[in-house]
Amino acid sequence: MIEKTPDLIMETRDLTIRFGGHVAVDHVNLLVEPFVLKSIIGPNGAGKTTLFNLMTGQYKPSEGRVLLKGNDITHLSAVQRTRLGMGRSFQLTNIFPVLTVLENVRVAIQSRKSIGLNFWRNYLHFPGLEEEAYSILEDVLLDKKWASPASSLTHGEQRKLEIAILLALEPEILFLDEPTAGMSQEEVPAILEILQRIKDAKDRTMLLVEHKMDMIMTLSDTIAVLQDGKLIAEGDPEEIRKNKAVQEAYLGGGARRG
Amino acid sequence: MAGPTPVQIFHEEEKKRQYRSGTFFLKVGLLLLFLLVPVLFPAFKTIDLAMQIVLFAVLVASFDILLGYTGILSFGHGMFFGIGAYCVAFLIGKYGMPSYTNLALGFLIAAIVSAALALLISFLTLRVKTIFFAMITLAIAELAIILATKLTGFTGGEDGISLNTPGIFAVSFNMGDFMGLEITGRVFTYYFILFSCIALFLIMLRFTRSPLGRVLQAIRDNVQRAEALGYNTFLYQSISITFGCIMAALIGGLYAMWVGYVNPESSLGVLTIMLDVLLMVIIGGMGTLYGGIIGAAFLKITQTFLPDLQHLAMDLFPHAQLLHNVLERWLLLFGILFILVVIFFPKGVIGSVNEYLLQRKMAKPTISPSSFTPTPPGNRP
Ligand SMILES: Nc1ncnc2c1ncn2[C@@H]1O[C@H](COP(=O)(O)OP(=O)(O)OP(=O)(O)O)[C@@H](O)[C@H]1O
Ligand SMILES: [Mg+2]
């Protein structure tokens, strides 16, 4: 039996994965309260992406468990977890390049509403789907481009589209893996604004992996620090800034900073 | 409430344009042409040509559901076509009397057998890799030809099966003259097949424009992303393949009704049917459905008339030896024609024309960049 911890939306218990001899995530106990923005930081190769993969079901852990609202979901597939309200963005841009921007989002809404198996009605006869997709595009400041093929977008716009696809699934928890990776300096503030907006709506929990420190410090409610697969510190931005272990990890680890 | 979004405005304009556009008139014209063929050109050769174009256009469209909309290459499409042809031939030829019930039963069995086989192949191959699907279907298609040839008792072997169509479709049926056109069983069969093919084509159009069709295009575009959205891609691909194969089998049944005869070579042939279908889809363009009409028309017309053209040229210039040498190899001529089409229409005729229209629309200064047409599915690289 698992004793439930109330008031937590997600929790990992001794979560561990080994690749051969290498322990990429090492007995991590992460507690996530609902409706907060929690950042996960750490030097390159610390295991942040791998931790996300374990939580969202891309990888199966060697040890430990993943809990969603107190329920053990360790053995559920990524698709099943998506259906339970966990949405994941990827470090490498992952969109439908040939489809239009609007269609990228519309297909995601269609998945959430479970009408994908309908083959006898015209897809345009589902009222509201395209309007909903369009309004999400407005939220991520991409509405002007709705008719373009997704492959014609700039890199920064493609990351916005990814967030839009994610929002279309209306996940309770958003997993954002470096949403500003590879972006030009001018494109970053827009993403920051989008994330701030989602946060201000206060209806979702967000987990964010980022290297840009100023962004982390302004956005986060709490921060968890990973190093060599271990959770070495947790706290609000002020506490993390002052934390000795974190300073050492960053000064010694030679991480990129934003 | 704010006013209509640009998306809604776009669809409104699209609706207004719908019955005024050139493509709409083209479709109506094409439909009229095929409706009038028995009246205008009652010679058997032309009616047969028109029927072959119709049947193959729809067959190519069903192949396009797999290749263009799902991204799955099948060498078994000719086999599913042949299964349908044989099922109908069994029911109203070898094992049954020509009656309407048996005819309908033949089509039903064709659909069931092809669906079962398509599902089986999907389950065996798709989980591994989609390229497996191409290899396995090629093997099974060859096996089907061997079986049809060797199981003489069951299938009639090399000799094939002759079938008699029932009632108003019978060759002997004749209602006499009507406004200059002799109303025979042939004419009824022509219209029955024409309307059936139009119905199948409309069903396929609806299929590709349904929510399921849109998911298929998403899967084709990026499998991992579609999976991450929560779509069971294996299920979707299996449904699409099964659907396309059932269509092929039904068209095969119609084909058997028209030619009144099936044998392993002409109905199941990997080289005869499959190669034609592949050439047609390349000429017409993938992911457009309409491309099949162009592809089928091009191939069937050249196959029918190039030999005639050759004889005509030889009669006109009886002394030009070089010309004779070239013309004797009419297949070579056909090859050259094919290469020219591929060079000038790299995305197939429909695909390339769509792209050209899109570019012209985008270039128009009156339309702001935010309101140009979303890429039609036909413009896939
Ligand atoms: N599938 C895998 N097989 C083997 N090793 C892996 C695999 N996935 C990750 N690793 C290893 O696990 C470690 C952690 O990788 P991870 O991608 O989680 O780091 P990260 O914190 O996301 O780094 P970055 O900031 O560069 O994105 C690395 O040493 C990596 O090589
Ligand atoms: Mg990473």
Side-chain angles (χ1 to χ4, degrees):
Chain A
M1 266 309 286
I2 317 159
E3 68 293 0
K4 292 194 179 186
T5 322
D7 303 332
L8 286 183
I9 185 153
M10 253 198 119
E11 189 181 349
T12 69
R13 297 202 182 157
D14 286 329
L15 201 59
T16 304
I17 190 166
R18 297 183 194 90
F19 295 116
H22 178 67
V23 190
V25 172
D26 195 354
H27 294 88
V28 169
N29 292 297
L30 195 72
L31 309 177
V32 187
E33 297 90 35
F35 308 124
V36 300
L37 193 155
K38 191 180 192 89
S39 293
I40 296 163
I41 61 171
N44 290 127
K48 306 178 293 294
T49 299
T50 310
L51 178 62
F52 265 23
N53 284 336
L54 287 169
M55 293 174 84
T56 54
Q58 267 79 20
Y59 293 161
K60 290 272 170 276
S62 318
E63 248 179 72
R65 283 185 307 216
V66 182
L67 276 65
L68 179 71
K69 297 176 191 163
N71 302 311
D72 194 335
I73 57 162
T74 317
H75 299 290
L76 298 188
S77 69
V79 170
Q80 288 169 317
R81 293 185 204 195
T82 304
R83 291 248 174 259
L84 289 177
M86 301 171 63
R88 166 84 197 267
S89 89
F90 293 85
Q91 187 168 354
L92 297 172
T93 309
N94 202 352
I95 55 172
F96 300 109
V98 179
L99 304 187
T100 64
V101 170
L102 187 78
E103 185 64 10
N104 264 272
V105 182
R106 205 196 58 81
V107 166
I109 298 175
Q110 201 180 273
S111 167
R112 188 189 82 229
K113 299 204 164 163
S114 303
I115 47 178
L117 283 173
N118 184 316
F119 60 86
W120 55 91
R121 276 187 78 185
N122 190 321
Y123 76 100
L124 289 173
H125 292 175
F126 289 87
L129 248 66
E130 288 205 314
E131 283 70 46
E132 192 179 339
Y134 188 80
S135 100
I136 292 174
L137 287 179
E138 284 177 327
D139 288 344
V140 301
L141 317 170
L142 212 54
D143 47 307
K144 295 271 182 297
K145 298 276 179 145
W146 70 272
S148 318
S151 56
S152 72
L153 298 181
T154 67
H155 182 73
E157 287 168 339
Q158 292 191 351
R159 306 294 319 214
K160 289 185 199 168
L161 178 57
E162 258 206 298
I163 296 177
I165 294 175
L166 207 54
L167 290 176
L169 294 172
E170 293 201 334
E172 284 185 70
I173 315 176
L174 279 166
F175 291 80
L176 300 164
D177 196 352
E178 298 198 38
T180 67
M183 235 179 224
S184 69
Q185 210 57 46
E186 304 83 69
E187 290 174 316
V188 174
I191 294 285
L192 196 71
E193 186 191 333
I194 292 165
L195 295 185
Q196 187 69 51
R197 273 203 218 180
I198 302 171
K199 188 188 163 188
D200 291 344
K202 290 207 193 315
D203 54 1
R204 285 179 228 288
T205 310
M206 284 200 275
L207 286 169
L208 174 68
V209 166
E210 254 304 338
H211 282 291
K212 298 193 172 58
M213 269 310 164
D214 40 358
M215 184 168 159
I216 291 284
M217 291 299 169
T218 43
L219 276 175
S220 310
D221 296 310
T222 60
I223 299 173
V225 188
L226 272 186
Q227 189 190 11
D228 295 332
K230 292 189 192 66
L231 196 63
I232 58 164
E234 227 182 325
D236 63 37
E238 228 14 71
E239 289 166 353
I240 293 299
R241 204 195 297 278
K242 290 185 190 129
N243 188 302
K244 281 276 171 317
V246 175
Q247 285 170 2
E248 262 165 42
Y250 266 80
L251 292 175
R256 290 180 264 143
R257 292 187 196 213
Chain B
M1 262 317 280
T5 65
V7 186
Q8 287 164 327
I9 295 169
F10 171 80
H11 286 309
E12 280 307 309
E13 281 175 4
E14 189 90 314
K15 243 183 227 155
K16 272 186 226 154
R17 272 200 305 267
Q18 199 175 8
Y19 299 110
R20 280 189 272 140
S21 68
T23 47
F24 176 71
F25 289 116
L26 209 64
K27 285 173 203 166
V28 172
L30 213 60
L31 183 67
L32 280 178
L33 179 68
F34 279 106
L35 279 174
L36 290 177
V37 161
V39 184
L40 298 178
F41 315 99
F44 174 73
K45 191 173 176 179
T46 40
I47 298 193
D48 185 55
L49 175 64
M51 195 82 288
Q52 298 266 353
I53 292 175
V54 169
L55 283 163
F56 272 86
V58 188
L59 182 65
V60 172
S62 73
F63 182 69
D64 200 20
I65 299 250
L66 271 70
L67 186 64
Y69 286 87
T70 320
I72 283 173
L73 178 59
S74 163
F75 289 111
H77 217 63
M79 174 187 65
F80 285 100
F81 176 85
I83 287 176
Y86 265 94
C87 282
V88 168
F90 282 152
L91 264 286
I92 59 171
K94 200 163 158 61
Y95 298 108
M97 281 287 114
S99 70
Y100 295 124
T101 327
N102 279 356
L103 183 64
L105 216 59
F107 280 105
L108 185 69
I109 294 174
I112 294 171
V113 171
S114 55
L117 187 59
L119 277 176
L120 182 72
I121 301 176
S122 305
F123 272 94
L124 288 179
T125 58
L126 282 188
R127 289 214 188 267
V128 192
K129 218 166 173 78
T130 45
I131 187 68
F132 257 48
F133 192 86
M135 302 189 320
I136 295 286
T137 48
L138 184 60
I140 294 183
E142 281 297 340
L143 184 70
I145 295 176
I146 295 171
L147 285 180
T149 316
K150 297 289 173 208
L151 296 176
T152 324
F154 178 51
T155 63
E158 299 256 26
D159 296 336
I161 305 169
S162 294
L163 49 104
N164 293 307
T165 36
I168 55 166
F169 304 128
V171 186
S172 54
F173 184 82
N174 197 326
M175 252 175 53
D177 250 31
F178 178 72
M179 285 167 59
L181 172 67
E182 214 182 330
I183 310 292
T184 61
R186 273 271 144 206
V187 174
F188 273 113
T189 313
Y190 177 89
Y191 283 111
F192 174 75
I193 294 176
L194 179 62
F195 287 123
S196 303
C197 284
I198 292 171
L200 290 181
F201 191 78
L202 291 177
I203 291 171
M204 285 190 268
L205 267 186
R206 173 45 53 88
F207 181 84
T208 56
R209 288 174 189 173
S210 69
L212 185 124
R214 307 299 285 195
V215 177
L216 288 174
Q217 290 173 47
I219 292 173
R220 214 205 109 147
D221 208 2
N222 185 344
V223 182
Q224 281 82 21
R225 191 70 192 102
E227 240 155 34
L229 286 186
Y231 287 118
N232 180 348
T233 53
F234 169 73
L235 177 69
Y236 282 86
Q237 286 170 331
S238 305
I239 291 176
S240 168
I241 289 169
T242 309
F243 176 76
C245 291
I246 292 176
M247 290 292 133
L250 294 179
I251 298 159
L254 293 171
Y255 175 82
M257 270 182 85
W258 180 249
V259 295
Y261 173 75
V262 295
N263 75 351
E265 170 66 18
S266 70
S267 313
L268 280 166
V270 172
L271 279 178
T272 44
I273 308 277
M274 208 49 239
L275 195 64
D276 275 3
V277 168
L278 276 172
L279 289 176
M280 288 172 188
V281 85
I282 293 170
I283 294 168
M286 279 197 296
T288 65
L289 285 199
Y290 284 102
I293 301 171
I294 306 275
F298 176 84
L299 207 70
K300 287 292 169 190
I301 289 174
T302 44
Q303 279 175 354
T304 310
F305 287 117
L306 261 186
D308 284 357
L309 222 61
Q310 165 195 354
H311 291 305
L312 183 73
M314 282 187 178
D315 291 342
L316 284 180
F317 308 98
H319 302 298
Q321 194 55 45
L322 180 71
L323 188 71
H324 287 197
N325 287 344
V326 175
L327 287 176
E328 258 161 28
R329 293 161 183 76
W330 73 270
L331 255 178
L332 179 84
L333 276 185
F334 170 73
I336 294 172
L337 220 55
F338 178 73
I339 291 170
L340 286 178
V341 169
V342 172
I343 289 174
F344 288 108
F345 300 98
K347 287 179 176 171
V349 175
I350 298 279
S352 300
V353 168
N354 270 349
E355 193 181 54
Y356 169 75
L357 290 178
L358 184 80
Q359 277 169 359
R360 221 180 50 173
K361 235 183 235 174
M362 281 167 70
K364 263 190 205 160
T366 46
I367 294 178
S368 73
S370 63
S371 64
F372 63 72
T373 324
T375 328
N379 286 328
R380 299 163 167 285

